[in-house]
């Protein structure tokens, strides 16, 4: 495993659309492991492959930080949403910046795991927020695009549960 460089605000790759993963092999699993390590090293709760410079539809999420494995989702798609809630959101590509974003309060996502097995994930609260935030990254959409106007702020010592 290795840490990868996180692409930051202003990097044009963050605006690109990621491609569907057709073949899930050891190279993809190595990328997934590197993303997982990079996310934890940066105290993030989610990361998308584009944030480490790879335009593939892969996201990693860990909202627990209790030692249980992260969610590893390949080609994730939101198939159902319910409700609405306002979240305070940040992003590993926007260090120390946060804004209010309205997201569904519950989402259902279909994806493949790192061995190509179809999985369904249902999330509420922070997990729902992270799923939406990371899947947006795969289409080049950033939280600052959909934030509530005027809510962007700079916070020096941020907590991990807001960085995606
Ligand atoms: Ni992000």
């Amino acid at each position: 495993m290795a840490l990868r460089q996180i692409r930051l605000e202003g990097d044009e790759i963050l605006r690109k659309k990621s491609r569907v993963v057709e073949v899930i092999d050891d190279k993809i699993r190595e990328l997934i492991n590197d993303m997982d390590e990079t996310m934890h090293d940066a105290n993030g709760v989610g990361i998308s492959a584009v944030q480490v410079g790879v335009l593939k539809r892969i996201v990693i999420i860990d909202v627990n930080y209790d030692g249980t494995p992260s969610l590893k989702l390949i080609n994730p798609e939101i198939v159902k949403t319910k409700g609405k809630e306002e979240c305070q959101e940040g992003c590993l590509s926007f260090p120390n910046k946060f804004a209010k974003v309205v997201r569904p309060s519950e989402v259902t996502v279909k994806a493949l795991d790192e061995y190509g097995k179809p999985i369904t994930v249902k999330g509420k609260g922070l997990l729902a927020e992270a799923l939406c935030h990371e899947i947006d990254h795969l289409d080049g959409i950033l939280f600052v695009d959909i934030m509530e106007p005027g809510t962007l702020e700079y916070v020096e010592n941020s907590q991990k549960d807001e960085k995606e």
Side-chain angles (χ1 to χ4, degrees), residues 46-48 51 90-94 133-134 137 142-143 163-164:
I47 195 168
S48 55
Q51 287 177 281
C91 178
L92 291 175
S93 298
F94 290 73
H133 179 111
E134 300 315 328
H137 269 299
L142 301 170
F143 79 114
K163 292 191 284 187
E164 299 159 289

Side-chain angles (χ1 to χ4, degrees), residues 28-88:
I28 292 290
R29 285 184 283 273
E30 186 187 350
L31 168 64
I32 284 173
N33 286 336
D34 287 354
M35 285 169 62
D36 197 24
E37 192 181 354
T38 302
M39 177 187 79
H40 283 110
D41 180 69
N43 289 318
V45 297
I47 195 168
S48 55
V50 59
Q51 287 177 281
V52 295
V54 180
L55 286 167
K56 292 184 189 296
R57 301 187 80 84
I58 302 172
V59 308
I60 308 290
I61 292 171
D62 183 0
V63 294
N64 301 313
Y65 271 66
D66 61 0
T68 55
S70 305
L71 272 175
K72 294 153 184 151
L73 306 176
I74 299 172
N75 302 336
E77 277 181 53
I78 295 172
V79 294
K80 199 170 154 191
T81 65
K82 198 175 151 188
K84 265 186 193 178
E85 70 186 35
E86 194 177 70
C87 336
Q88 176 80 353

Side-chain angles (χ1 to χ4, degrees), residues 96-163:
N96 304 108
K97 287 186 178 172
F98 297 90
K100 287 194 166 61
V101 179
V102 176
R103 298 281 191 190
S105 44
E106 290 182 43
V107 294
T108 305
V109 171
K110 289 197 170 176
L112 301 175
D113 74 6
E114 71 264 49
Y115 300 100
K117 193 179 116 200
I119 48 172
T120 300
V121 179
K122 287 184 186 178
K124 287 184 186 179
L126 180 60
L127 178 55
E129 176 191 328
L131 285 163
C132 293
H133 179 111
E134 300 315 328
I135 292 171
D136 274 355
H137 269 299
L138 305 182
D139 293 316
I141 298 166
L142 301 170
F143 79 114
V144 290
D145 302 337
I146 57 166
M147 67 182 176
E148 299 290 295
T151 63
L152 189 66
E153 53 178 346
Y154 187 87
V155 180
E156 196 68 56
N157 296 307
S158 54
Q159 296 170 1
K160 72 167 186 301
D161 67 355
E162 296 167 338
K163 292 191 284 187

